[in-house]
Amino acid sequence: MKILYVVSRPLEINTSSSIRNRATIMGLAENGHEVDLITTVPDSNHFAYDDSMTIEGVKVTYIRLEGIQSVARLGRKMKFLDPLKKAVVKYMDSNDIYDNLKGIVDHVSEVDCRKYDLIISSSDPKSSHLFVDRMLEQKEFSAKWIQIWGDPFLSDITLSQGKNREEVFNEERRLISKCDKVVYVSGLTLESQQEIYSEFADKMVHIPVPYLDEIIGGESDFSNKKCIRLAYCGDYTSNVRNIIPLYDALKILEDRCEIRICGNSDLNIDSYNNITITGREPYEEVEKIERNADILVHISNLSGSQIPGKIYQYSGTDKPILFILDGDKLAIREQFEKYNRYCFADNDKESIINAIDGIITDSREYKPLQEFSRKAIANRITSIIKNNS
């Protein structure tokens, strides 16, 4: 098939959704499909800019946005404009339900949508779906349309309190009504969305996040190892994830374990004897950190049905994964326990310590979950259209 993939945030901005989109696009191409990507021009001054995130062999059309994005680019380049940038962003956040990349919809006329068999729009950001919606309004095309939702709209735990929730509900419902299939990357989110928008439940499916690469080289016997290396690579904003129990547990285990924590946060916690804390790292550096770790750590969200994408990236390794449960713990555990791949702990320091001890004394071998490989997931995405035609 000839596929148009639309995501308004450029892949060069290193986020979990960018990694998911990159893996999905690569999987589609590896399965023999011809993929074109529509996105926006990346800003090299963005704090998360990472030029290693580009994809070879895929035709990319970059759209340059003006307006608020011009202010944002200037603000990153000229720090004295930061107050202006923050004021504009705050205003937009209070007066528009969409993200600040919404300007991409002004460029739908630049795309010849008639030559595609399938169009995939992928959030986040949600403006990715709006682009195809506007394209559908202006042009007739016979291609099927799949929406991939990393996070839902109304139920997104990061949704600003200033948003008009009724307006968000109506807009999410309208977008869902327009496409052929809706993919949710969390099974729990699927169940919630099918209940909220029950009239469209039949077009909704759950397909997990693909991991980008397999990382092989983990150890299964830690009995003679003096220090066990753990890694947590992800954001931990305090209203989304609670990293403090993990931090406190590793302090207690300082004679046996060390951990590298990297990611953005609003917390001011310091490195410790066996705890190294840094901000967000480029993808290639994160890959090195994870490759060198003995145990990979995943922390669930405090609430909601969204599953951090990092758990799927970790699933492409042969290393033990410490899965720290929070939020709707029973439902999350039930969703992942069937794979017999994860070592679960509640998000308190005693449970975390016990789980780490259990991993150290358990010499079982782990393998990448092929169900989450990029080729397998890409095949599942295209199959929902083939099976529905």
Side-chain angles (χ1 to χ4, degrees):
M1 284 193 292
K2 189 167 179 60
I3 300 172
L4 176 64
Y5 200 98
V6 179
V7 56
S8 50
R9 180 185 292 126
L11 301 187
E12 292 88 346
I13 303 305
N14 184 1
T15 64
S16 60
S17 59
S18 292
I19 294 172
R20 167 173 54 83
N21 286 315
R22 185 181 180 212
T24 303
I25 292 168
M26 293 173 72
L28 290 168
E30 288 168 353
N31 285 341
H33 302 291
E34 184 180 347
V35 185
D36 293 347
L37 171 63
I38 296 284
T39 189
T40 56
V41 175
D43 181 1
S44 60
N45 293 305
H46 193 286
F47 73 92
Y49 177 77
D50 184 351
D51 60 5
S52 70
M53 295 286 289
T54 56
I55 302 177
E56 294 183 4
V58 171
K59 179 184 175 184
V60 184
T61 299
Y62 289 105
I63 294 173
R64 175 169 287 277
L65 303 185
E66 301 304 328
I68 186 174
Q69 283 304 304
S70 296
V71 175
R73 286 194 298 269
L74 280 173
R76 296 182 194 113
K77 192 179 296 183
M78 304 175 184
K79 295 302 181 185
F80 67 88
L81 290 176
D82 270 356
L84 174 61
K85 182 185 73 172
K86 290 177 181 177
V88 172
V89 170
K90 184 177 181 181
Y91 174 82
M92 292 291 292
D93 200 43
S94 300
N95 292 274
D96 197 330
I97 63 172
Y98 278 98
D99 50 273
N100 60 15
L101 294 170
K102 179 185 175 182
I104 192 174
V105 303
D106 297 329
H107 299 265
V108 295
S109 61
E110 301 171 19
V111 182
D112 181 6
C113 51
R114 294 169 298 177
K115 61 183 180 181
Y116 297 102
D117 305 302
L118 173 62
I119 298 175
I120 299 174
S121 57
S122 180
S123 67
D124 287 276
K126 277 77 173 177
S127 54
S128 308
H129 304 311
L130 187 63
F131 181 89
V132 182
D133 172 60
R134 291 289 173 83
M135 192 164 60
L136 184 61
E137 290 178 355
Q138 295 187 16
K139 303 179 180 182
E140 291 185 5
F141 59 82
S142 58
K144 299 292 186 179
W145 177 16
I146 296 176
Q147 296 174 2
I148 301 177
W149 289 79
D151 297 325
F153 212 156
L154 180 66
S155 304
D156 190 345
I157 61 173
T158 63
L159 182 69
S160 168
Q161 295 301 311
K163 304 290 188 186
N164 183 320
R165 297 188 66 82
E166 182 178 358
E167 185 180 359
V168 173
F169 169 82
N170 290 331
E171 182 64 359
E172 184 172 29
R173 183 183 181 279
R174 189 186 70 82
L175 287 174
I176 292 171
S177 72
K178 295 291 191 69
C179 68
D180 295 284
K181 286 289 184 178
V182 186
V183 173
Y184 294 105
V185 300
S186 163
L188 299 178
T189 299
L190 171 66
E191 293 175 7
S192 174
Q193 293 294 94
Q194 286 179 321
E195 184 175 340
I196 296 171
Y197 306 103
S198 57
E199 67 269 45
F200 304 119
D202 289 345
K203 70 165 65 176
M204 299 176 176
V205 298
H206 164 230
I207 300 178
V209 172
Y211 55 76
L212 188 57
D213 296 298
E214 287 191 0
I215 298 178
I216 305 296
E219 297 182 35
S220 59
D221 185 1
F222 299 137
S223 58
N224 295 319
K225 196 156 190 177
K226 292 182 179 179
C227 186
I228 308 300
R229 294 169 297 185
L230 289 82
Y232 174 80
C233 298
D235 295 341
Y236 50 100
T237 307
S238 59
N239 67 332
V240 177
R241 287 173 212 133
N242 181 15
I243 201 171
I244 299 303
L246 175 66
Y247 182 81
D248 291 342
L250 265 292
K251 277 188 172 181
I252 295 172
L253 295 173
E254 68 172 304
D255 60 332
R256 293 186 287 144
C257 299
E258 63 183 29
I259 189 169
R260 175 74 179 273
I261 298 173
C262 60
N264 290 333
S265 179
D266 58 342
L267 298 175
N268 293 315
I269 53 177
D270 298 321
S271 295
Y272 189 67
N273 297 336
N274 62 325
I275 304 174
T276 302
I277 297 176
T278 61
R280 181 189 290 267
E281 299 283 1
Y283 176 75
E284 290 182 345
E285 179 62 24
V286 169
E287 193 175 37
K288 289 178 185 176
I289 293 169
E290 294 171 349
R291 194 178 296 277
N292 291 329
D294 299 309
I295 300 172
L296 300 170
V297 182
H298 163 84
I299 302 177
S300 302
N301 292 339
L302 288 166
S303 62
S305 59
Q306 296 153 241
I307 307 295
K310 181 59 71 173
I311 189 60
Y312 299 101
Q313 302 308 316
Y314 285 169
S315 299
T317 74
D318 61 348
K319 299 173 184 288
I321 300 167
L322 173 59
F323 196 127
I324 299 177
L325 296 161
D326 218 328
D328 194 348
K329 295 186 286 188
L330 291 178
I332 294 172
R333 181 164 185 157
E334 182 179 350
Q335 181 174 331
F336 285 90
E337 198 167 30
K338 60 187 176 184
Y339 297 109
N340 194 30
R341 178 65 183 83
Y342 310 101
C343 307
F344 296 97
D346 289 336
N347 200 6
D348 63 75
K349 65 181 179 182
E350 289 80 11
S351 182
I352 292 170
I353 290 171
N354 289 337
I356 293 173
D357 285 338
I359 292 172
I360 293 173
T361 56
D362 182 2
S363 60
R364 66 172 164 148
E365 294 186 359
Y366 299 89
K367 295 180 180 179
L369 280 175
Q370 293 305 313
E371 295 98 319
F372 298 158
S373 73
R374 62 196 190 198
K375 290 186 70 173
I377 295 299
N379 184 60
R380 288 183 62 180
I381 291 171
T382 54
S383 292
I384 64 174
I385 289 297
K386 293 176 182 177
N387 295 338
N388 196 49
S389 57

